[in-house]
Amino acid sequence: MTQWKKSIYTGHVSDGVAEVADGRYPLVENRVQAEIMCHVRAMNRPVSRSEITEVLGVSRSKISLEVGRLIGAGLLAGDGLAKSEGGRRSSLLRIPRSAGLIAAVDLGATSTDVALSTLGGELLIHRGEPGDVKDGPQRVLGRVKELLSELLAEQGADARDVVAIGVGVPGPVEHASGVLRSPPIMPGWDGFPIRAAFADGYEAPVFVDNDVNVMALGEHRDGVGKGEDNVLFVKIGTGIGGGIIADGHLQRGSQGCAGDIGHICADPEGPVCSCGNRGCLEAMAAAPAIAAKAERCAKEGLSPILQGVFEERGVLTARDVGEAASRGDYHALQIIKESGRLVGQVLATLVSTLNPSIIVVGGGVANIGHSLLAEIRGAVYRRSLPLATRNLPIVPSELDQIAGVTGASVLAAEGVLQTS
Ligand SMILES: [Zn+2]
């Protein structure tokens, strides 16, 4: 906790604006200011004062007072006048780039993505590279900080311009503390204070959540889930996870574990999972399971294509299975279909529980071939109530590689604009 306090935000954007309250670091002074900023961010375009007054249902004089304060603090700026609607033309407002930058980090099991965006929500620059979370927090976060420094320099900015940092990690995060708890695929990260790791170099507050939750936030803000209030996002990669947006808000549950569908039991007699249980969805349908099944096929001589790749490289990946399937390999196609069927079975249960309006499928395995999505759709439609699936699109992610950093910047911006 003492280490954590080091990252207390000191309010360099405008003195007096950022107060430290109950361990939070809002840029804004009160709820009305927070709502104004969140509305302008959500609209992603210049917004008139009269629109803000109408949407927030607060008096014109109160809006005028708080907008004036936000402009004084550099968080809002004028952007000309709105079109005339008969009366006096209302002035337009936007969040200027000088209001600050958001640093977004998306750690996958085997990838590191970092990005900078404006507080207003514009993605400025993104960089991704292979990485391995098994290298441990010191090495991985050290590399993240190097990449962030490079991106800031390329934008002509420095660490003092960063007003918030959002981090997505591939493991269960205790929401209140932002700390990973017993992450199955992240040795060395259990209880590691990620927030404190940014304290040398950054004064900005750090917000941490699991990678699937941040991807769900990204799809909801800028992807195929935009404008939908009830989104179920599913990531299929090295692991499998779900992110739930209900009534427009990310659902974390009481400890932050909501949507952790990878460890729902798909077969009590199935293989042992990294969590120690048997037959988890993740152990049976994620990338390592797909690769393991393909290797068995290759060794048994069932698939000449997989056998050829295996003999050449000594290892097979889920991507190899996708390529073999696209070349007409029967066994590769069956492996993909089995994953789709298992994921779809679990999603059908969630559809009955949550009644989403759209299911978005992302992660590295999502691009393995059309048959995966087709099997998921088939299983969900077969096993759910017809009413729940009547208007339920099940679609691939649009943001793909940038879903995580887009969502991490949403997480950070919403966090820093929140009043306690
Ligand atoms: Zn498990």
Side-chain angles (χ1 to χ4, degrees), residues 184 262-265 271-283:
H263 300 281
I264 290 178
C265 184
V272 176
C273 177
S274 58
C275 73
N277 289 319
R278 201 170 263 284
C280 294
L281 178 64
E282 186 169 298

Side-chain angles (χ1 to χ4, degrees), residues 116-132:
L116 293 174
S117 67
T118 63
L119 183 61
E122 183 195 353
L123 187 68
L124 297 172
I125 187 167
H126 160 241
R127 190 156 298 156
E129 63 178 33
D132 190 346

Side-chain angles (χ1 to χ4, degrees), residues 168-201:
V169 290
V173 174
E174 188 179 78
H175 182 58
S177 62
V179 165
L180 280 149
R181 294 292 179 208
S182 309
I185 60 167
M186 299 178 75
W189 290 79
D190 186 19
F192 184 84
I194 295 174
R195 288 171 174 167
F198 287 89
D200 62 332

Side-chain angles (χ1 to χ4, degrees), residues 199-220:
D200 62 332
Y202 292 89
E203 292 175 342
V206 182
F207 301 89
V208 185
D209 208 333
N210 80 63
D211 58 345
V212 188
N213 277 351
V214 302
M215 289 169 92
L217 285 172
E219 292 291 344
H220 185 237

Side-chain angles (χ1 to χ4, degrees), residues 60-134:
R60 184 178 288 268
S61 58
K62 177 70 175 164
I63 293 293
S64 186
L65 175 73
E66 299 301 351
V67 163
R69 286 177 172 163
L70 289 167
I71 290 174
L75 293 171
L76 285 179
D79 195 6
L81 295 173
K83 278 187 192 156
S84 173
E85 284 173 10
R88 214 172 115 215
R89 290 166 75 194
S90 178
S91 60
L92 291 171
L93 299 160
R94 65 186 167 82
I95 301 173
R97 181 175 160 164
S98 55
L101 298 177
I102 304 287
V105 180
D106 175 29
L107 296 179
T110 56
S111 62
T112 301
D113 285 81
V114 296
L116 293 174
S117 67
T118 63
L119 183 61
E122 183 195 353
L123 187 68
L124 297 172
I125 187 167
H126 160 241
R127 190 156 298 156
E129 63 178 33
D132 190 346
V133 285
K134 292 194 178 78

